[in-house]
Amino acid sequence: IFKEMTYALSDFFRISLNQGQDWIPVEKEIKHIRDYLIILQIRYGDALTYSIEIEETITNYSMLKMILQPLIENAVYHGTKLVRRTGKIIVQAFLDEHDYIHFYIIDNGKGIPDKKLKEINQELSNGLDTDFKEGYGLFNVNKRLLLYYGKEAKIQITSIVDTGTTVHVIIPTMKKGAAKHV
């Protein structure tokens, strides 16, 4: 376990830093979240499981780094960690027919009450004008997406109390090496 943790941590930090670059290949972002989930699984043991289901075609694209990890962190700390059953995180990604990449972070955690969910989605739709006071990671990711991709990127959240939450991230595609410079 120590060896596995050491490799996961070193990869995690290497990808986080990425030589100061904001854009990374999708495959590196996936590696980053896999390392993060390995670290969490070592930390929580049998209390956390995960699966990563990625359509192979999306690995040919670049994306803004550090988009998925904060969302997975939210799923664990605000969702699965708070239930008595084994927590499960599922990460899915695919390319649609309009050249948008869709990421889903699905958890079986405590869920979000309807009123709170409506507030969160309203703040997300406020975009750069958001006035968030909590959920810093989520709104930080949303602002970064909007600053780098414009209104083509979005985050949508659905949730059912005592069942779980799904965070859906949509970004336009960019071929490797074709990242925007802001």
Side-chain angles (χ1 to χ4, degrees), residues 71-129:
L71 303 177
I72 291 169
E73 185 174 337
N74 279 355
V76 172
Y77 291 105
H78 300 292
T80 63
K81 188 175 157 185
L82 303 171
V83 294
R84 292 191 183 274
R85 63 187 171 273
T86 298
K88 178 138 179 89
I89 303 291
I90 302 168
V91 180
Q92 298 173 332
F94 66 90
L95 182 67
D96 73 15
E97 65 276 6
H98 303 291
D99 284 335
Y100 283 84
I101 299 173
H102 296 257
F103 293 101
Y104 289 90
I105 294 112
I106 304 162
D107 71 62
N108 70 339
K110 70 173 194 157
I112 304 168
D114 288 341
K115 184 178 179 204
K116 181 74 173 166
L117 181 62
K118 194 176 241 177
E119 289 172 16
I120 291 169
N121 280 317
Q122 181 58 53
E123 284 299 319
L124 287 170
S125 69
N126 288 344
L128 297 174
D129 298 325

Side-chain angles (χ1 to χ4, degrees), residues 15 17 20 23 26-28 34 46 69 120 147 150 156 165:
I15 293 169
L17 296 171
W23 300 93
V26 170
E27 62 198 332
K28 265 194 179 178
R34 189 179 315 272
D46 292 341
Q69 182 273 328
I120 291 169
L147 285 169
Q156 301 166 330
T165 300

Side-chain angles (χ1 to χ4, degrees), residues 18-105:
N18 194 41
Q19 301 171 330
Q21 300 298 309
D22 290 327
W23 300 93
I24 62 174
V26 170
E27 62 198 332
K28 265 194 179 178
E29 180 79 351
I30 300 304
K31 172 92 173 96
H32 188 243
I33 62 164
R34 189 179 315 272
D35 291 332
Y36 183 67
L37 284 162
I38 287 169
I39 293 163
L40 288 178
Q41 194 167 44
I42 291 169
R43 160 85 170 81
Y44 292 108
D46 292 341
L48 181 69
T49 63
Y50 70 89
S51 69
I52 300 175
E53 305 157 11
I54 305 299
E55 191 177 270
E56 198 61 35
T57 55
I58 68 168
T59 61
N60 295 324
Y61 296 95
S62 291
M63 67 181 288
L64 188 60
K65 74 176 180 182
M66 295 290 293
I67 295 300
L68 303 177
Q69 182 273 328
L71 303 177
I72 291 169
E73 185 174 337
N74 279 355
V76 172
Y77 291 105
H78 300 292
T80 63
K81 188 175 157 185
L82 303 171
V83 294
R84 292 191 183 274
R85 63 187 171 273
T86 298
K88 178 138 179 89
I89 303 291
I90 302 168
V91 180
Q92 298 173 332
F94 66 90
L95 182 67
D96 73 15
E97 65 276 6
H98 303 291
D99 284 335
Y100 283 84
I101 299 173
H102 296 257
F103 293 101
Y104 289 90
I105 294 112

